[in-house]
């Protein structure tokens, strides 16, 4: 996916950034892998609250793509932009385009960076077209993280696609078609189409039989096994990510939160 984004937007770097409500910016992935150094050339980290795109998303809670140079000065003051630009320029980062994936406890987004030409209207329009599919794939991956690798053999024997497996996993959680659509960023009608194909491949007629067949085949965990696996030692269920990349709070990022520097906020 990162390779396709790099090619489509002629970017030098694609990073997946996870920013929690404490303003700690975790680079969860970077492509090419060696593009960003582990530490800034100056040896100085900047406060993540000076990153214009982060400020844009935290203030507006927008779910649309945004170009770095188009963040209004009311959100990111010129001197703040200059401070961040001076920090990022040695990394070969001058222009950025963000495609947000998650706007809940914090911000998670793919960020495309390049040193020379700025992004324009055509890039923004393309990003708007790409984002729904990208977000749906991201949500699907989050759901599939709950399916152990050992369960993929029976999945293949039934000829299930990854999308159908994601729907089946949510079916096992008891979600309605409407709730599945929200989770996977698609429409209820599309979910019903996936369910029809899923029932046909499993040789069943309804959701209860589908879940039972999937558990008998070893695709879905039994209820007790699933509860044991999803419950932590403290008796609470973890979020989709580890505490190192997400905060447990569902509150949006607040501009008056105390920033906590972590690593290069690019």
């Amino acid at each position: 996916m990162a390779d396709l984004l790099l090619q489509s937007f002629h970017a030098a770097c694609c990073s997946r950034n996870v920013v929690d409500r404490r303003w700690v910016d975790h680079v969860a992935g970077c492509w090419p892998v060696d593009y960003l150094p582990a530490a800034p050339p100056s040896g100085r980290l900047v406060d993540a609250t000076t990153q214009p795109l982060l400020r844009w998303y935290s203030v507006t809670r927008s779910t649309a793509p945004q170009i770095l140079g188009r963040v209004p000065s009311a959100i990111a003051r010129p001197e703040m932009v200059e401070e961040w630009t001076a920090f990022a320029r040695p990394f070969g980062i001058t222009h950025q385009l963000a495609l947000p994936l998650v706007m809940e406890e914090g911000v998670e987004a793919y960020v495309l960076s390049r040193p020379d030409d700025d992004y324009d209207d055509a890039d923004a329009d393309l990003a708007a077209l790409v984002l729904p599919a990208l977000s749906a794939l991201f949500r699907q991956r989050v759901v599939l993280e709950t399916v152990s690798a050992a369960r993929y053999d029976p999945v293949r024997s039934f000829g299930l696609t990854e999308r159908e497996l994601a729907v089946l996993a949510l079916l096992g959680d008891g979600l309605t078609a409407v709730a599945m659509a929200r989770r996977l960023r698609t429409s209820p009608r599309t979910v019903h189409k996936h369910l029809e194909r899923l029932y046909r491949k499993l040789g069943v007629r309804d959701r209860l039989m589908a879940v039972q067949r999937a558990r008998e085949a070893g695709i879905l965990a039994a209820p007790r096994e699933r509860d044991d696996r999803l419950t932590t030692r403290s008796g609470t269920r973890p979020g989709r990510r580890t505490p190192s990349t997400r905060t447990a709070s569902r509150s949006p990022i607040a501009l008056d939160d105390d920033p906590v520097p972590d690593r290069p906020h690019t």
Side-chain angles (χ1 to χ4, degrees):
M1 183 59 67
D3 288 341
L4 289 174
L5 290 173
L6 286 169
Q7 294 172 22
S8 299
F9 292 93
H10 307 290
C13 171
C14 174
S15 60
R16 185 164 62 84
N17 291 54
V18 181
V19 185
D20 64 33
R21 70 183 303 273
R22 298 174 302 139
W23 288 92
V24 178
D25 181 6
H26 308 269
V27 179
C30 177
W31 304 270
V33 294
D34 57 350
Y35 189 87
L36 295 177
S42 64
R44 174 178 172 268
L45 292 173
V46 299
D47 180 350
T49 60
T50 66
Q51 217 289 352
L53 286 170
L54 299 189
R55 295 184 65 85
W56 167 260
Y57 285 114
S58 68
V59 170
T60 66
R61 307 308 294 169
S62 171
T63 58
Q66 177 62 298
I67 294 172
L68 176 66
R70 297 186 180 182
V71 177
S73 58
I75 290 178
R77 298 187 304 275
E79 61 271 21
M80 186 179 293
V81 174
E82 178 55 35
E83 179 185 358
W84 183 85
T85 300
F87 164 78
R89 192 178 294 115
F91 292 97
I93 294 174
T94 306
H95 308 289
Q96 290 188 316
L97 170 64
L99 289 82
L101 299 169
V102 176
M103 298 293 295
E104 293 173 358
E105 305 92 72
V107 177
E108 184 158 356
Y110 278 106
V111 181
L112 299 166
S113 306
R114 59 192 185 195
D116 301 317
D117 297 334
D118 200 358
Y119 294 96
D120 56 21
D121 289 341
D123 293 308
D125 291 343
L126 177 58
L129 291 174
V130 168
L131 185 57
L134 186 67
S135 181
L137 288 172
F138 175 80
R139 294 284 179 159
Q140 174 178 302
R141 181 182 64 82
V142 170
V143 172
L144 293 180
E145 285 178 347
T146 67
V147 180
S148 67
R151 302 188 188 282
Y152 274 84
D153 285 340
V155 167
R156 296 187 187 95
S157 69
F158 282 100
L160 303 183
T161 66
E162 287 201 345
R163 195 62 163 176
E164 290 163 353
L165 177 58
V167 169
L168 181 58
L170 295 177
L171 198 66
D173 287 341
L175 272 65
T176 65
V178 173
M180 291 183 209
R182 284 198 299 267
R183 185 76 65 87
L184 296 173
R185 296 288 176 88
T186 187
S187 69
R189 182 175 179 178
T190 299
V191 170
H192 280 298
K193 290 292 185 183
H194 288 308
L195 287 172
E196 289 175 7
R197 289 192 289 269
L198 189 60
Y199 295 163
R200 186 172 63 251
K201 290 180 179 181
L202 293 176
V204 299
R205 295 183 178 181
D206 58 43
R207 63 168 51 216
L208 292 178
M209 294 177 65
V211 171
Q212 181 178 353
R213 178 64 58 84
R215 285 174 177 162
E216 291 172 348
I219 298 174
L220 294 181
R224 182 179 298 277
E225 179 184 345
R226 182 174 179 79
D227 288 346
D228 290 344
R229 181 163 53 83
L230 292 180
T231 302
T232 64
R233 291 180 182 177
S234 63
T236 58
R237 292 177 183 273
R240 288 192 299 272
R241 301 199 171 276
T242 62
S244 63
T245 57
R246 286 276 183 87
T247 177
S249 170
R250 298 183 62 84
S251 302
I253 298 174
L255 286 179
D256 57 355
D257 279 348
D258 292 332
V260 181
D262 182 50
R263 60 161 293 164
H265 307 291
T266 53

